[in-house]
Amino acid sequence: MSPLAYTKGIVFGVISLQNFQWSAMKRICSFLLLLVLGFAALTPPLYAQRMSPEESERQSRKAAKTQQKMLHKKNKKQAKVTRKFEKAQRKQTKKANRDLAKRQQSSPL
């Protein structure tokens, strides 16, 4: 066999068995490594999968507190809008009574 025909493990376009074993092992190892890393990236961490009762209780208390704060804020806003509406109504009633009084004074019966 001439040295030109044998270059980097290829003999006339056919891979020799010695290099095939190493390249196959390298490919299999790299594929398995890629598979394991991909699986590890897709699964959530263990602490997220299993939550202790204390952690669950703490999270529910926190959610309840946040809900209460939000409701308190909405109630304050609603009360403010109600007060503003009532004030506008009082003002409108007062003006209507004033106009009525002026009309009654100006037109003698």
Side-chain angles (χ1 to χ4, degrees), residues 44-51:
L46 286 177
Y47 67 85
Q49 290 179 354
R50 296 191 188 109
M51 193 182 313

Side-chain angles (χ1 to χ4, degrees), residues 35-106:
L35 189 68
V36 167
L37 289 176
F39 184 72
L42 292 177
T43 58
L46 286 177
Y47 67 85
Q49 290 179 354
R50 296 191 188 109
M51 193 182 313
S52 67
E54 294 84 16
E55 180 69 19
S56 176
E57 183 183 355
R58 189 185 73 79
Q59 281 190 355
S60 65
R61 274 195 317 249
K62 187 176 180 180
K65 185 177 180 181
T66 306
Q67 185 73 13
Q68 276 186 333
K69 283 174 81 173
M70 186 184 69
L71 283 174
H72 181 69
K73 197 173 185 180
K74 294 285 182 186
N75 287 341
K76 276 178 68 174
K77 215 173 224 185
Q78 183 64 35
K80 185 178 178 181
V81 168
T82 305
R83 281 195 308 269
K84 193 173 182 179
F85 177 74
E86 288 171 351
K87 183 179 178 182
Q89 269 191 327
R90 284 195 307 269
K91 189 175 178 181
Q92 190 177 15
T93 304
K94 191 175 180 181
K95 185 179 180 209
N97 288 340
R98 200 174 21 219
D99 290 345
L100 181 64
K102 278 186 183 180
R103 277 186 280 157
Q104 286 177 349
Q105 284 179 357
S106 64

Side-chain angles (χ1 to χ4, degrees), residues 15-52:
I15 300 175
S16 68
L17 289 176
Q18 292 88 14
N19 288 338
F20 177 73
Q21 288 175 348
W22 282 106
S23 66
M25 286 174 52
K26 286 179 188 177
R27 285 183 188 150
I28 290 171
C29 287
S30 61
F31 176 71
L32 287 176
L33 182 63
L34 185 64
L35 189 68
V36 167
L37 289 176
F39 184 72
L42 292 177
T43 58
L46 286 177
Y47 67 85
Q49 290 179 354
R50 296 191 188 109
M51 193 182 313
S52 67

